[in-house]
């Protein structure tokens, strides 16, 4: 862990997930900042939150192709696999481009983190607030204040998970967990337990096939028909294109931008490979499919009784919610910033960003020294903003934007 010094590093990146790590690599590679003037503020360790989510839902391979990873050279991951005799971990897909296994993706990412010495930039802390000052930004963290020349927010969804209405006021000891809760681990689920999974998208499907085994009773509560799509949006959104231009022609931070992105995203869909696995487990009777919607849940002596809309009731030992994320703009840090600073907020609290630089606009229309990457930048980059390819597009903009910023001279 880097010291908690307040020395003026050039850039602080808040969040050490896929976006934070890739942006760090891009800024170092482009020489925008030296490593000893770069800090990544992340409470859980670099890439740990994403790695944990992949394990929690039992994901085997990424949905995105092998050219989407945290390094600069698009073929870096393929070369990494070849040089270690791991080409068989590049899994064919229906659209031709192979996808890396989760293990290969993270082994490659760890090698990139090592190559750029990113562990030395890590401050193991949570950012709680930002304050702009002349020529820079002060980042308040749980480990103290950090003075920086500029800051990038790359906090993903910020741990805000969606729960159905009936799951919001249950007693703390009820056997109902969210798949992304820190405490959920599919490896600790009882071998003969009755398990219910709520959700009809890729996470629910992956979890169902992971938990399915002879002797365990797994029911998938999926109220809507499955939607099978290779990608989470049309390919035209992956690059700066006419689709992105049309999005950016709409007013920044507007409802129209949010709606355009929502309509373009194929939320709740699953890839053909995951669907094929799910279908096999259902055909083998390892997973029961229940189409009726759960209406109420009652904890009862270590189990939970589920009442469905069609009037039927059943019970499970454990109910796991695979019901997605809440709005990223509701993360505590975003709420704090739109309430307590002059950074401009748009529809549903979205940060109003400059399309050319991803820098957050102040209410007076000038650009702050705070930029945003990840899902919260979807109003600029479109439906893939949250994905690995979104980090790469954000990197293209941020390198230029930060090159143009004048950083305070290195303290002597
Ligand atoms: C199971 C799963 C599978 C996916 N598969 C793919 C895929 O195959 N291809 C693809 O392109 N995309 C995929 N995605 C989308 C995926 O979320 C992104 O590609 C990627 O994880 C987003 O990176 P991120 O850095 O924006 O967010 P995250 O990976 O969530 O990282 C954000 C980081 O910010 C930290 N943080 C949060 N708040 C603070 C704070 N206040 N202070 C400091 N740090 C903070 C968190 O601890 C976390 O480490 C998948 C998502 C999930 C959940």
């Amino acid at each position: 862990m880097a010291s908690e010094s307040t020395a003026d590093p050039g850039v602080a990146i808040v969040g050490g997930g896929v976006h934070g790590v890739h942006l760090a690599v891009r800024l170092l590679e482009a020489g925008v900042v030296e490593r000893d003037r770069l800090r990544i503020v992340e409470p859980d360790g670099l890439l740990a939150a994403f790695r944990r989510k992949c394990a929690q839902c039992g994901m085997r391979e990424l949905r995105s192709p092998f050219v989407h990873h945290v390094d600069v050279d698009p073929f870096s991951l393929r070369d990494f696999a070849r040089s270690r005799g791991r080409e068989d971990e590049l899994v064919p897909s229906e659209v031709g481009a192979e996808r890396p296994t989760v293990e290969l993706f993270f082994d490659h990412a760890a090698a990139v983190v090592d190559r750029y010495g990113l562990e030395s930039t890590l401050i193991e802390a949570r950012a709680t607030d930002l304050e702009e000052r002349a020529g820079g930004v002060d980042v308040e963290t749980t480990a103290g204040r950090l003075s920086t020349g500029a800051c990038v927010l790359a906090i993903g969804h910020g741990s805000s998970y969606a729960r159905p209405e009936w799951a919001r006021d249950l007693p703390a000891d009820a056997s109902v967990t969210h798949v992304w809760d820190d405490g959920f681990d599919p490896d600790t689920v009882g071998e003969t337990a009755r398990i219910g999974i709520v959700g009809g998208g890729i996470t629910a499907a992956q979890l169902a096939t992971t938990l399915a085994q002879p002797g365990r009773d797994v029911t998938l509560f999926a109220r809507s028909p499955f939607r099978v799509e290779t990608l989470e949006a049309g390919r035209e959104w992956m690059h700066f294109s006419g689709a992105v231009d049309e999005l950016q022609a709409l007013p920044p931070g507007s409802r129209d931008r949010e709606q355009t992105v929502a309509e373009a995203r194929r939320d709740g869909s699953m890839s053909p490979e995951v669907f094929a696995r799910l279908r096999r487990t259902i055909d083998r009777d390892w997973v029961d499919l229940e189409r009726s919607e759960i209406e109420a849940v009652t904890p009862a002596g270590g189990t939970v009784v589920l009442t469905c809309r069609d009037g039927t009731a059943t019970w499970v030992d454990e109910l796991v919610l695979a019901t997605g994320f809440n709005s990223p703009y509701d993360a505590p840090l975003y709420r704090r910033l739109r309430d307590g600073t002059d950074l401009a907020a748009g529809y549903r609290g979205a940060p109003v960003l400059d399309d050319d630089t991803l820098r957050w606009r102040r209410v007076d229309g000038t650009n702050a020294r705070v930029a945003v990457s990840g899902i919260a930048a979807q109003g600029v980059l479109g439906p893939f903003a949250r994905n690995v390819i979104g980090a790469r597009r954000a990197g293209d903009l941020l390198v230029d934007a930060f090159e143009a910023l004048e950083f305070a001279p290195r303290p002597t």
Side-chain angles (χ1 to χ4, degrees), residues 159-409:
S159 310
S160 187
Y161 311 135
R163 292 168 202 272
E165 186 81 41
W166 45 257
R168 290 185 199 152
D169 294 316
L170 293 171
D173 60 353
S175 300
V176 179
T177 42
H178 197 290
V179 62
W180 307 140
D181 283 344
D182 285 349
F184 179 72
D185 176 357
D187 290 339
T188 63
V189 170
E191 284 187 9
T192 56
R194 261 171 93 111
I195 305 295
I197 298 168
V198 184
I202 189 166
T203 302
Q206 281 168 326
L207 184 61
T209 51
T210 299
L211 293 180
Q213 59 179 50
R216 193 187 272 152
D217 191 347
V218 178
T219 303
L220 178 61
F221 292 86
R223 63 183 175 189
S224 310
F226 296 125
R227 185 175 178 193
V228 181
E229 301 277 2
T230 304
L231 296 169
E232 291 151 278
R235 196 171 289 278
E236 68 279 11
W237 287 103
M238 277 198 178
H239 309 282
F240 294 114
S241 64
V244 176
D245 290 343
E246 280 172 33
L247 176 70
Q248 296 185 358
L250 299 167
S254 63
R255 178 184 174 155
D256 285 349
R257 284 206 190 197
E258 287 293 315
Q259 275 181 347
T260 302
V261 172
E263 280 161 21
R265 272 197 68 81
R266 299 161 182 165
D267 279 334
S269 67
M270 65 183 82
S271 62
E273 296 80 13
V274 169
F275 177 65
R277 257 179 234 145
L278 176 65
R279 211 183 44 206
R280 277 198 299 275
T281 52
I282 291 173
D283 288 348
R284 286 176 186 155
D285 288 332
W286 289 2
V287 169
D288 289 328
L289 182 59
E290 177 55 65
R291 286 293 185 195
S292 183
E293 190 174 348
I294 296 174
E295 209 168 43
V297 161
T298 317
T303 68
V304 275
V305 176
L306 317 175
T307 309
C308 294
R309 183 149 287 174
D310 63 4
T312 57
T314 185
W315 64 272
V316 293
D317 294 306
E318 189 169 347
L319 188 65
V320 188
L321 309 175
T323 42
F325 296 91
N326 283 327
S327 162
Y329 316 131
D330 287 341
L333 186 57
Y334 278 113
R335 263 193 265 150
R336 163 79 202 116
L337 294 180
R338 64 174 175 261
D339 293 344
T341 67
D342 65 353
L343 297 170
Y347 181 64
R348 294 197 167 155
V352 179
L353 306 179
D354 176 60
D355 289 336
D356 297 328
T357 62
L358 290 178
R359 287 173 64 186
W360 198 330
R361 287 193 184 169
R362 303 185 189 97
V363 286
D364 66 6
T366 56
N367 288 339
R369 282 178 167 249
V370 179
V372 173
S373 182
I375 184 170
Q378 64 185 1
V380 173
L381 295 176
F384 284 115
R386 72 189 70 183
N387 293 90
V388 183
I389 186 68
R392 300 180 76 83
R393 294 294 79 86
D396 297 341
L397 297 181
L398 280 179
V399 164
D400 288 348
F402 280 17
E403 254 168 359
L405 282 179
E406 282 181 19
F407 292 112

Side-chain angles (χ1 to χ4, degrees), residues 61-66 89-94 97-101 104 271 273 277:
E61 61 272 334
L62 273 85
R63 191 171 184 176
S64 48
F66 68 84
E89 292 183 53
L90 294 170
V91 183
S93 77
E94 297 217 337
E98 296 155 321
R99 295 157 302 125
T101 60
L104 179 64
S271 62
E273 296 80 13
R277 257 179 234 145

